[in-house]
Amino acid sequence: MEVRTGDETLDKTIKQWLEWDKYEPTRQEVCNLLKEKNVPELKKRFGTRIAFGTAGLRARMEAGTARINDLIIIQTAQGILTHLLAVNKDCKNSGVAIGYDHRHNSRRYAELSAAIMVRAGLPVYLFSHTSPTPFVPYIIRQKHLAAGIMVTPSHNPKGDNGYKVYWGNGAQIIPPVDKGISAAILSNLEPWEHSWDTSIIAESPLVTDPYQQVFTSYMEEITKRMCHHGNINAATKLKFTYTAMHGVGTLAFQALFKKFGFQDLILVKEQVEEDPNFTTVKNPNPEEGKSALNLSFKTADENGSRVILANDPDADRLAVAERQGDGSWKVFNGNELGTLLGWWILQCYKKKNESWNDVHMFASAVSSKMLNSMAQKDGFKFEETLTGHKWMGNRIDALMQEGKKSLFAFEEAIGFMCCELVLDKDGVSAGAIVAELATVLATENKSLVNKLDELYQDYGYHFCSNSYYICHSPETTGAIFERIRTLENGSYPSQISGVKVTGIRDLTTGHDSNQPDNKAILPTSRSSHMITFSFENGCVATLRTSGTEPKIKYYSEICGDLSKSDKSSMQEKLRTFVSTLVQELLQPDVHGLIPKAD
């Protein structure tokens, strides 16, 4: 096949690709683009290489070095194996776990990865069935494995796939592991002799199917640790509706729900079955709120159900909605659920332990500080981490090695880690725990909303306003943040709309005006942008780029005493201020940013 795009570097990359790629569908994609002389598309596919980082990989499933496909998976697995052999001499005894979701090609990507590991002599625990993401970090800790891989793009659109990597502590990788793997990938781009051959999986004694054992053990251990009111659960009249959002959560969620003692779980029948095309939803992300839960509302209304529990497609996130007295639905955001779960898990711990002064809870830097307010009053320890459960999971593991107990960790993107068995977000266990909380509250004639209001009275009202803009140009995104850093005489702004800035933390550059030496305490990274502003009016706002999507996200919070001010006035104060802040700093109209769809 003649390769002639007019770009010598691009031609060389495409020729190399065609030499290495043995998967006919993706080879044909490239050949078609060459025949059509579609140089712009070829540049999109081959002009850059997909970067491996702490989030692993996530991209569209298409041919090209900038996409996810068989060849990219092979190169990545070869890199992970090479790095693992270099840093863990025991990995041929301990082995790795590999799971996958229901997306197109997920099982194939898992098997390609497994075959490469097995040929190198590593035991591989390859799940025989699609599984929730939390099963992989769970088995790593349970069996003391060297690493784990989960093939999933989580809640991304249907054409995407992804590749999450966990290390031997059961947490997602953080630096410098990601850098070591990335370097090993680039040093092993050419597929090894047998890397395309997956036949060894069926015949090798090194391959074990852990699915049933993990499924059973997970249900038993989570229930033993986190279910405290099985009798009340069994007797409740409260009805729960569940959706897996066409993903992998149904079997596991049903099983844990039953294990907690609950009798009936109403399923959104149109979304129960695994469907990689996500037929009934435009965006399979329950974090989007009401727009993703329309069928759940319909099913719940038809069945007299008061609480909706929704997992994202790989079941590591949880959304919750509660029907109000007027028939409307309240969809809780991640900060509200984090408040409720944190309070509940602490109460359950208090009933069985005399002291909780040395137990820890966590929230990411862009999440509500409500747990911090609770910690100051109740006496436990609160820590803030960088965004992502990878940071919380690794920190919790470090504390466990010191003999310290961690109860709970969350981030506002509806991700909750409710016990130390899974050092990552887990939408299955979080859902069962929320159901038990709602059930116990119902015996007191209270709802989840009632309890949340009580907590605001006890710890102060924390109101958050978060959203995002889509920006498909990395150059534009970079220019926006550089403008912010030099907005006022070559430095950060000292005020926004007349409101004085009292603190600035930039985790891209490492600047933190809140520290005596102006150096940030939290880890910094120049590969992404993240700036937090504190203001004289009590507001805190963070602007950051997403690590997995072309989004500029903004997060804001205001805290206040409800005895001195009411909710509506604080909400209006924050919304008005944030609207001005976004316009002044991001300039959405100037840069053609696309707002979040309602």
Side-chain angles (χ1 to χ4, degrees), residues 13-252:
T13 302
I14 294 171
K15 287 177 182 177
Q16 186 69 87
W17 177 275
L18 290 171
E19 180 182 334
W20 286 345
D21 187 12
K22 305 302 180 187
Y23 189 52
E24 190 56 37
T26 43
R27 287 181 57 83
Q28 194 59 51
E29 282 182 42
V30 179
C31 291
N32 290 342
L33 290 171
L34 288 167
K35 288 177 183 176
E36 296 163 5
K37 295 183 169 52
N38 193 340
V39 176
E41 182 64 21
L42 287 166
K43 285 183 176 179
K44 288 180 184 178
R45 305 268 196 106
F46 292 94
T48 59
R49 179 174 179 83
I50 185 172
F52 181 91
T54 55
L57 303 172
R58 206 180 290 192
R60 286 189 61 78
M61 290 179 283
E62 293 176 327
T65 56
R67 301 292 193 259
I68 279 190
N69 43 65
D70 285 28
L71 180 54
I72 290 293
I73 293 298
I74 285 172
Q75 293 169 336
T76 303
Q78 290 177 170
I80 292 171
L81 172 62
T82 300
H83 184 68
L84 198 55
L85 290 169
V87 301
N88 186 343
K89 302 304 180 185
D90 191 53
C91 66
K92 287 192 176 183
N93 294 317
S94 52
V96 299
I98 301 179
Y100 53 91
D101 68 7
H102 67 306
R103 302 268 182 155
H104 294 298
N105 299 315
S106 286
R107 180 164 185 157
R108 177 175 173 81
Y109 295 163
E111 290 178 346
L112 284 167
S113 303
I116 288 168
M117 303 291 172
V118 170
R119 287 190 189 281
L122 272 68
V124 173
Y125 294 84
L126 176 64
F127 284 78
S128 63
H129 194 284
T130 56
S131 301
T133 289
F135 279 13
V136 171
Y138 172 79
I139 189 180
I140 292 171
R141 291 193 70 86
Q142 186 193 54
K143 294 190 178 297
H144 309 289
L145 306 184
I149 295 165
M150 179 68 192
V151 181
T152 180
S154 189
H155 54 267
N156 271 38
K158 65 181 181 181
D160 289 8
N161 216 321
Y163 203 79
K164 292 177 70 172
V165 180
Y166 297 86
W167 222 227
N169 61 358
Q172 285 188 68
I173 58 170
I174 58 173
V177 176
D178 62 320
K179 299 293 190 297
I181 293 174
S182 181
I185 292 170
L186 297 177
S187 298
N188 291 274
L189 291 178
E190 182 174 358
W192 299 335
E193 183 180 357
H194 299 292
S195 286
W196 287 95
D197 182 4
T198 60
S199 62
I200 192 171
I201 293 172
E203 58 198 40
S204 175
L206 290 173
V207 179
T208 303
D209 172 19
Y211 177 76
Q212 197 56 57
Q213 181 270 320
V214 168
F215 192 100
T216 302
S217 176
Y218 171 92
M219 301 306 158
E220 291 175 349
E221 286 204 78
I222 294 291
T223 302
K224 183 178 179 180
R225 289 205 188 189
M226 304 309 298
C227 178
H228 304 283
H229 300 278
N231 292 337
I232 297 176
N233 297 341
T236 189
K237 301 298 182 186
L238 199 61
K239 292 183 179 180
F240 296 90
T241 292
Y242 173 75
T243 177
M245 206 65 68
H246 292 301
V248 301
T250 300
L251 291 176

Side-chain angles (χ1 to χ4, degrees), residues 461 561-572:
Y461 182 51
D561 187 339
L562 288 176
S563 67
K564 299 177 181 177
S565 184
D566 62 274
K567 283 185 181 179
S568 59
S569 63
M570 281 192 276
Q571 291 174 6
E572 184 59 29

Side-chain angles (χ1 to χ4, degrees), residues 414-479:
I414 59 174
F416 312 100
M417 193 214 82
C418 298
C419 72
E420 296 164 328
L421 290 171
V422 177
L423 296 189
D424 196 9
K425 53 188 176 290
D426 182 353
V428 179
S429 62
I433 294 165
V434 168
E436 180 167 274
L437 167 58
T439 297
V440 172
L441 291 174
T443 66
E444 304 169 9
N445 294 315
K446 294 178 183 177
S447 66
L448 293 169
V449 167
N450 295 151
K451 187 70 233 180
L452 190 61
D453 286 338
E454 287 183 8
L455 295 177
Y456 288 148
Q457 293 289 342
D458 292 342
Y459 301 104
Y461 182 51
H462 290 60
F463 177 68
C464 301
S465 178
N466 306 334
S467 193
Y468 61 80
Y469 284 93
I470 295 172
C471 181
H472 291 290
S473 168
E475 292 77 19
T476 298
T477 299

Side-chain angles (χ1 to χ4, degrees), residues 211-339:
Y211 177 76
Q212 197 56 57
Q213 181 270 320
V214 168
F215 192 100
T216 302
S217 176
Y218 171 92
M219 301 306 158
E220 291 175 349
E221 286 204 78
I222 294 291
T223 302
K224 183 178 179 180
R225 289 205 188 189
M226 304 309 298
C227 178
H228 304 283
H229 300 278
N231 292 337
I232 297 176
N233 297 341
T236 189
K237 301 298 182 186
L238 199 61
K239 292 183 179 180
F240 296 90
T241 292
Y242 173 75
T243 177
M245 206 65 68
H246 292 301
V248 301
T250 300
L251 291 176
F253 199 96
Q254 280 183 302
L256 190 60
F257 195 76
K258 184 176 182 181
K259 200 77 173 172
F260 266 53
F262 294 104
Q263 300 301 309
D264 297 310
L265 182 63
I266 299 162
L267 302 177
V268 179
K269 61 181 184 297
E270 297 92 341
Q271 297 174 340
V272 161
E273 299 297 332
E274 295 179 0
D275 176 8
N277 295 316
F278 301 101
T279 308
T280 69
V281 287
K282 182 179 179 181
N283 186 349
N285 182 4
E287 189 186 349
E288 298 292 336
K290 291 185 177 180
S291 63
L293 296 174
N294 288 332
L295 278 174
S296 298
F297 296 145
K298 180 175 180 289
T299 301
D301 286 336
E302 289 173 350
N303 289 275
S305 173
R306 196 172 88 187
V307 178
I308 291 170
L309 304 165
N311 283 145
D312 68 339
D314 68 324
D316 65 349
R317 286 179 169 86
L318 174 76
V320 178
E322 184 180 58
R323 189 169 56 194
Q324 305 305 291
D326 62 0
S328 65
W329 285 93
K330 158 67 177 174
V331 180
F332 296 91
N333 62 45
N335 288 319
E336 292 167 335
L337 288 176
T339 296

